[in-house]
């Protein structure tokens, strides 16, 4: 669990704001219906801090809500402020909170578990059934996100920052935590080989954490040449592979299996017809081809997929796409692991015999737990002496575009849904700054 908000007795701080004040908030009312509104905020309650938000990064789930008012199976049913990758400063301190001062710089861990159930007591609080996570429609009323001027947040889930970590880098502690949790679940040994499918922010950071953990070879694959080039140039991965566009197949029911009017497509209830069986086999053949080419890129020679020693020790699947899960299974050696990091297609058809007969472990991860302290230490270590080990790349360089003020949020979301801007520059991480 995160450090307790209570500790040694010190004089209580008096809130620095009035009992209620007005703030601006960016509020989503429907698909692409983003409005700047005024809200009232009370002074922080017992155990809370009031945080002036300085930076919020836009996540893929935020973009999904922005476009569809939904993220996977979660549909928003009331206006929702987005944003959960955030940092800021303490502007008011509630009763029974100790160890914080006005002006402290903090990173926000925005998932609030119950702290009382068995799973919380085991330290796996990310799996708490009563978890409330900012900017998610899973709980009702929805837990409003961080795209607001100020929010009240439990002090337990506010992590102090040293001065050498920027607000932008601190916001990226959230996706870094996902990467840390993924690698913690994978438990790689020194000298292991890893493959990362997807070179978005989480994929890049997962590759970096795999290298940090001692993986000697980390190959990253994506359909976007710019992102792969960035990963190699900045040291996130050791090798890169660009998936040919003609081999990049959607994994949804309506597109992986051609939904024509011929009556030979796969119905959504899953009945396999002759045409869909052929399509599925074609998808598996594509996955085998991609796996072979990715391994060849890492090995410098054409791999033999059926060789018992061939394949990577660990594959991190960071896209959530069905075809990528197929590729992950074929690219992983016998006795290896596939870590499901990306959340995408909720129901997938997989060649389970590939995992079964070769004893490939398939592990899921959901968000993170007990990672922020480690993430902050890793960011601090960047400024220390280099003792010859792997040095985490500068997270500030992942921020390719910055928008000032909540009134520019709509433009930020539109750009975050693209891979290049109007000038042809790479779009990787878009942030909204105060």
């Amino acid at each position: 669990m995160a450090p307790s908000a209570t500790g040694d007795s010190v004089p209580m701080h008096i809130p620095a704001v009035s009992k209620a004040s007005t703030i601006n908030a960016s509020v989503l009312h429907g698909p692409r219906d983003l409005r700047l509104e005024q809200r009232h905020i009370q002074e922080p309650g017992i155990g809370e801090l009031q945080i002036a938000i300085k930076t919020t990064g836009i996540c893929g789930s935020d973009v999904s809500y922005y476009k569809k008012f939904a993220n996977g199976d979660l549909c928003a049913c009331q206006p929702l402020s987005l944003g959960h990758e955030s940092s800021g400063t303490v502007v008011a301190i509630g009763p029974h909170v100790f160890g914080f001062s006005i002006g402290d710089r903090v990173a926000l861990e925005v998932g609030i578990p119950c702290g009382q159930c068995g799973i919380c007591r085991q330290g796996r609080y990310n799996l708490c059934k009563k978890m409330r996570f900012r900017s998610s429609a899973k709980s009702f009323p929805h837990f409003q996100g961080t795209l607001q001027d100020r929010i009240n947040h439990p002090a337990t889930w506010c992590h102090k920052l040293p001065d050498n970590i920027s607000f932008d880098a601190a916001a990226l502690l959230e996706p870094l935590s996902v990467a840390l949790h993924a690698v913690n679940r994978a438990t790689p040994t020194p000298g292991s080989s890893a493959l990362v499918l997807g070179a978005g922010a989480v994929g890049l950071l997962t590759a970096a954490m795999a290298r940090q953990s001692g993986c000697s070879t980390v190959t990253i694959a994506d359909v976007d040449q710019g992102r792969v080039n960035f990963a190699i140039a900045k040291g996130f991965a050791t090798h890169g592979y660009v998936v040919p566009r003609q081999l990049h197949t959607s994994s949804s029911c309506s597109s992986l299996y051609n939904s024509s009017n011929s009556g030979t497509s796969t119905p959504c209830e899953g009945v396999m017809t002759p045409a869909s069986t052929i399509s599925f086999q074609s998808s598996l053949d594509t996955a085998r081809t991609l796996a072979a080419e990715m391994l060849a890129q890492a090995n410098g020679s054409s791999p033999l997929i059926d060789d018992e020693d061939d394949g990577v020790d660990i594959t991190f699947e960071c896209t959530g796409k069905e075809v990528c899960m197929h590729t992950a299974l074929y690219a992983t050696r016998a006795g290896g692991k596939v870590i499901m990091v990306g959340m995408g297609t909720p129901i997938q058809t997989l060649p389970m015999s590939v995992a079964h007969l070769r004893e490939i472990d398939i592990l899921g991860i959901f968000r993170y737990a007990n990672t922020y302290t480690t993430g902050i230490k890793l960011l601090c270590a960047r400024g220390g002496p280099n003792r010859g080990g792997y040095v985490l790349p500068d997270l500030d360089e992942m921020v390719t575009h910055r928008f000032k003020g909540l009134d520019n949020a709509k433009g930020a979301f539109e750009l975050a849904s693209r891979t290049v801007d109007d000038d042809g520059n790479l779009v990787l991480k878009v942030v909204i700054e105060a």
Side-chain angles (χ1 to χ4, degrees):
M1 294 288 289
S4 172
T6 60
D8 296 335
S9 295
V10 296
M12 185 183 304
H13 295 270
I14 303 300
V17 295
S18 60
K19 187 172 182 180
S21 55
T22 301
I23 60 169
N24 289 318
S26 177
V27 185
L28 188 69
H29 286 260
R32 286 189 158 88
D33 184 8
L34 197 62
R35 308 176 192 175
L36 185 64
E37 299 179 350
Q38 288 192 332
R39 287 177 171 174
H40 295 291
I41 186 171
Q42 300 294 321
E43 62 185 41
I46 294 175
E48 289 185 333
L49 297 172
Q50 187 164 115
I51 308 299
I53 302 298
K54 296 298 184 182
T55 293
T56 295
I58 297 179
C59 173
S61 63
D62 293 323
V63 173
S64 179
Y65 278 117
Y66 173 72
K67 286 183 172 181
K68 300 179 291 186
F69 210 43
N71 180 37
D73 293 335
L74 301 177
C75 298
C77 50
Q78 65 178 168
L80 178 65
S81 285
L82 298 175
H84 56 266
E85 301 176 0
S86 296
S87 59
T89 57
V90 176
V91 294
I93 300 173
H96 306 311
V97 175
F98 306 98
F100 288 90
S101 301
I102 301 298
D104 279 348
R105 305 166 71 253
V106 295
L108 300 178
E109 188 170 353
V110 299
I112 312 301
C114 74
Q116 303 299 318
C117 66
I119 202 74
C120 281
R121 290 197 297 270
Q122 293 172 21
R124 304 185 70 177
Y125 58 84
N126 56 310
L127 305 179
C128 176
K129 290 183 178 180
K130 296 181 180 179
M131 169 73 75
R132 299 177 68 235
F133 195 88
R134 289 191 182 274
S135 78
S136 172
K138 187 174 182 179
S139 59
F140 185 87
H142 302 333
F143 197 17
Q144 299 297 306
T146 57
L147 284 177
Q148 307 179 67
D149 287 338
R150 285 176 276 134
I151 63 170
N152 291 329
H153 198 68
T156 299
W157 305 105
C158 296
H159 302 272
K160 282 188 180 181
L161 298 169
D163 291 338
N164 64 328
I165 297 179
S166 70
F167 285 120
D168 288 357
L172 289 177
L173 280 167
E174 203 276 342
L176 179 63
S177 286
V178 175
L180 276 165
H181 189 54
V183 173
N184 287 342
R185 290 273 283 157
T187 61
T189 56
S192 297
S193 58
L195 171 65
V196 178
L197 301 179
V202 169
L204 288 169
L205 293 169
T206 300
M209 287 301 95
R211 294 195 67 185
Q212 179 79 37
S213 69
C215 289
S216 57
T217 301
V218 178
T219 303
I220 196 164
D222 198 274
V223 296
D224 188 81
Q225 177 80 58
R227 292 189 172 190
V228 174
N229 291 346
F230 179 90
I232 302 304
K234 301 299 182 181
F236 288 89
T238 60
H239 298 77
Y241 176 80
V242 180
V243 179
R245 288 284 176 175
Q246 65 269 25
L247 294 181
H248 180 58
T249 309
S250 171
S251 61
S252 66
C253 176
S254 61
S255 55
L256 179 59
Y257 304 127
N258 184 19
S259 297
S260 65
N261 293 322
S262 64
T264 58
S265 61
T266 301
C268 285
E269 54 266 28
V271 179
M272 295 296 287
T273 64
S276 64
T277 302
I278 294 172
S279 297
F280 182 66
Q281 185 58 51
S282 176
S283 176
L284 295 183
D285 291 342
T286 297
R288 286 174 62 89
T289 298
L290 287 173
E293 293 182 357
M294 291 173 189
L295 294 176
Q297 189 75 18
N299 298 337
S301 60
S302 296
L304 302 174
I305 289 295
D306 293 328
D307 189 276
E308 64 180 27
D309 293 326
D310 192 68
V312 296
D313 296 300
I314 305 168
T315 299
F316 297 94
E317 204 299 286
C318 298
T319 72
K321 295 291 187 180
E322 184 178 78
V323 69
C324 293
M325 269 301 292
H326 298 168
T327 304
L329 289 171
Y330 286 123
T332 305
R333 68 165 179 82
K337 298 176 183 178
V338 172
I339 313 298
M340 298 187 298
V341 183
M343 295 184 65
T345 309
I347 299 176
Q348 301 183 17
T349 302
L350 303 177
M352 292 305 297
S353 62
V354 176
H356 188 181
L357 299 178
R358 300 168 65 228
E359 292 193 359
I360 295 174
D361 295 338
I362 302 175
L363 300 176
I365 73 142
F366 183 61
R367 295 175 182 152
Y368 42 81
N370 309 299
T371 53
Y372 265 71
T373 298
T374 301
I376 291 171
K377 289 179 179 178
L378 288 171
L379 294 188
C380 288
R382 290 199 72 261
N386 186 352
R387 295 182 172 87
Y390 176 73
V391 178
L392 182 69
D394 186 356
L395 299 198
D396 286 293
E397 294 187 1
M398 291 179 63
V399 180
T400 56
H401 295 79
R402 295 172 171 86
F403 287 74
K404 291 288 186 181
L406 295 176
D407 53 333
N408 289 312
K410 186 174 181 63
F413 276 96
E414 289 292 340
L415 184 60
S417 64
R418 301 165 56 182
T419 57
V420 294
D421 62 18
D422 291 338
D423 297 321
N425 299 313
L426 174 69
V427 175
L428 185 56
K429 176 57 69 173
V430 177
V431 302
I432 300 173
E433 299 177 333

